[in-house]
């Protein structure tokens, strides 16, 4: 069973997959509140439908751009309706405003990027942020909405797992695109971020207590990553699972004994074992269900991320994602081109890069391929160091809402790891950013300041 590429997919497969997506989303809409933030959240998670329909019907992104515009305007309207809640977000809104003003000025006025592109890029940050304020006001005003919104995200996550199974049945193998209903055939970045954020949702509603349903739920989350061919999730998912289990969950603080350690260890090792065998890149046979070879997987990961092969050597600047981040750091320290360091090269420079330049190290200032450009490097090239600092200040100020410090730091570390060393879909993808901020807002309804699990009392 070899990887399927988007150009190998037939129109009938695209139609079948998207019909099931549409039916699933309509069912969730039927089961969810028809007012407030719920309809917009569901709409945010339907981007894959609009992406595929736009590409296969119009041969362009026109319909997808209309979809993004609707999300943008809808979020602004919700924000205006809930203006009174802005008092609880004074510092985050201040940093968001500074970031938006800077982003617009440096992109449109300094780099002369076209206005539709600038607004499209800005909407990735504004829409989820405005939704968050409306979400906060809705849950504060009506406690019954808390459980309804937990249930909404549960159904949305389960639909993403179901669509991973549908993808396997429709294609007969894995493909980088089609991350549930979130992305179309050409988008697969969320295949790593969605399972990781799903673990935080599981923490909020279960305190990581183990039962059969939750084990299958966790396996389903990992399966999303496997069906998008993502390698990082095979390592990151089991690690995050065990960290949340042992260091954030309050339940396991009290019952750390052999009867729980054994099943936990079996689950984590089982996830890792399945991941290496089901991901072709991680086994010597380079096929699905290849042999279990930890050394081969380690050597591959090291070379892919850093350029260091079996013979050893030093970390190579610009090679792999770690090498790309090293180049970014050294470029700042050199101070050779201060304007480029502070303000970047513009959104058009990155968004409209020719496919022929994918492996052009000269175009990417020393990074050997586009695939080695992580989220922080992409933003550095687009709007410079100032843009990165303002975005991080916004995130740090927003995360201060979470009272339970261990949860705050683990979630923030996960998001920053995705931003610095991966593709930053937890920030760059509107539904993933909305999901992340939902977790931020709802954290205090699941854990108190001391880390005691209070979700059941909310119910």
């Amino acid at each position: 069973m070899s990887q399927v590429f988007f150009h190998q997919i037939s129109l009938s497969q695209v139609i079948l997959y998207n019909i099931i997506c549409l039916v699933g989303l309509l069912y969730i809409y039927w089961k969810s509140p028809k007012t407030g933030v719920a309809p917009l959240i569901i709409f945010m998670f339907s981007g894959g439908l609009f992406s595929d329909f736009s590409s296969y019907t119009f041969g362009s992104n026109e319909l997808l751009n209309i979809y993004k515009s609707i999300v943008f305007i809808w979020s602004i309207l919700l924000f205006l309706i809930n203006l009174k809640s802005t008092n609880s977000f004074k510092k985050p809104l201040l940093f968001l405003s500074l970031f938006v003003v800077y982003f617009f000025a440096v992109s449109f006025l300094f780099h002369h990027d076209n206005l539709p592109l600038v607004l499209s890029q800005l909407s990735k940050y504004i829409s989820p942020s405005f939704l968050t304020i409306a979400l906060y006001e809705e849950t504060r005003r009506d406690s019954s909405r808390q459980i309804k919104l937990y249930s909404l995200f549960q159904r949305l996550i389960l639909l993403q797992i179901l669509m991973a199974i549908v993808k396997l049945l429709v294609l007969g193998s894995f493909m980088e695109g089609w991350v549930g209903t979130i992305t179309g055939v050409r988008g697969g970045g969320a295949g790593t971020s969605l399972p990781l954020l799903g673990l935080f949702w599981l923490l909020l509603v279960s305190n990581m207590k183990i039962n059969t349903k939750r084990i299958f739920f966790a396996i389903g989350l990992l399966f999303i990553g496997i069906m998008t061919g993502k390698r990082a999730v095979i390592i990151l998912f089991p690690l995050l699972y065990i960290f949340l289990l042992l260091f954030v969950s309050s339940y396991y603080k009290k019952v750390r004994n052999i009867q729980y350690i054994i099943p936990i260890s079996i689950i984590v090792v089982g996830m890792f074992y399945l991941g290496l065998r089901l991901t072709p890149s991680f086994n010597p046979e380079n096929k699905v269900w290849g042999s279990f070879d930890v050394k081969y997987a380690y050597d591959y990961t090291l070379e892919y991320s850093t350029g260091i092969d079996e013979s050893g050597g030093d970390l190579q600047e610009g090679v792999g994602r770690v090498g790309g981040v090293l180049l970014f750091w050294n470029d700042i320290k050199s101070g050779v081109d201060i304007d480029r360091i502070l303000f970047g090269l513009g959104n058009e420079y990155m968004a409209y890069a020719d496919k022929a330049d994918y492996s052009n190290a000269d175009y990417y200032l020393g990074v050997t391929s586009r695939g080695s450009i992580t989220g922080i490097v992409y933003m550095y090239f687009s709007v410079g160091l100032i843009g990165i600092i303002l975005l991080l200040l916004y995130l740090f100020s927003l995360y201060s809402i979470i009272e339970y410090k261990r949860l705050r730091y683990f979630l923030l570390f996960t998001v920053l790891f995705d931003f610095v060393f991966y593709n930053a879909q937890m920030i760059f993808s509107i539904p993933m950013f909305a999901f992340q901020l939902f977790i931020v807002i709802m954290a205090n309804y699941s854990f108190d300041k001391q880390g005691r699990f209070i979700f059941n009392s909310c119910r």
Side-chain angles (χ1 to χ4, degrees), residues 387-457:
I388 293 172
I389 293 172
L390 290 175
L391 178 63
L392 291 178
L393 287 173
Y394 166 63
L395 287 176
F396 292 154
S397 64
L398 193 62
Y399 269 62
S400 64
I401 293 172
I402 302 177
E403 295 179 350
Y404 181 27
K405 290 184 178 181
R406 285 195 181 189
L407 174 54
R408 181 199 307 171
Y409 297 146
F410 268 92
L411 180 58
L412 183 58
F413 176 81
T414 303
V415 172
L416 291 180
F417 184 90
D418 180 52
F419 181 55
V420 175
F421 294 107
Y422 208 61
N423 55 29
Q425 287 301 292
M426 293 183 188
I427 298 174
F428 292 168
S429 166
I430 288 178
M432 289 297 92
F433 201 4
F435 188 17
Q436 174 205 149
L437 297 183
F438 166 82
I439 294 169
V440 171
I441 293 297
M442 303 306 287
N444 293 338
Y445 295 117
S446 291
F447 292 92
D448 65 12
K449 190 173 183 178
Q450 287 72 39
R452 289 187 292 263
F453 188 62
I454 58 174
F455 177 74
N456 291 328
S457 60

Side-chain angles (χ1 to χ4, degrees), residues 333-367:
K333 290 197 299 181
S334 70
V336 172
D337 188 341
I338 194 65
D339 283 347
R340 177 176 58 74
I341 291 172
L342 293 178
F343 307 119
L345 296 167
N347 284 281
E348 289 189 13
Y349 189 88
M350 295 300 294
Y352 298 157
D354 196 293
K355 291 181 180 179
D357 288 321
Y358 186 89
S359 299
N360 185 349
D362 292 333
Y363 186 86
Y364 293 115
L365 308 181
V367 181

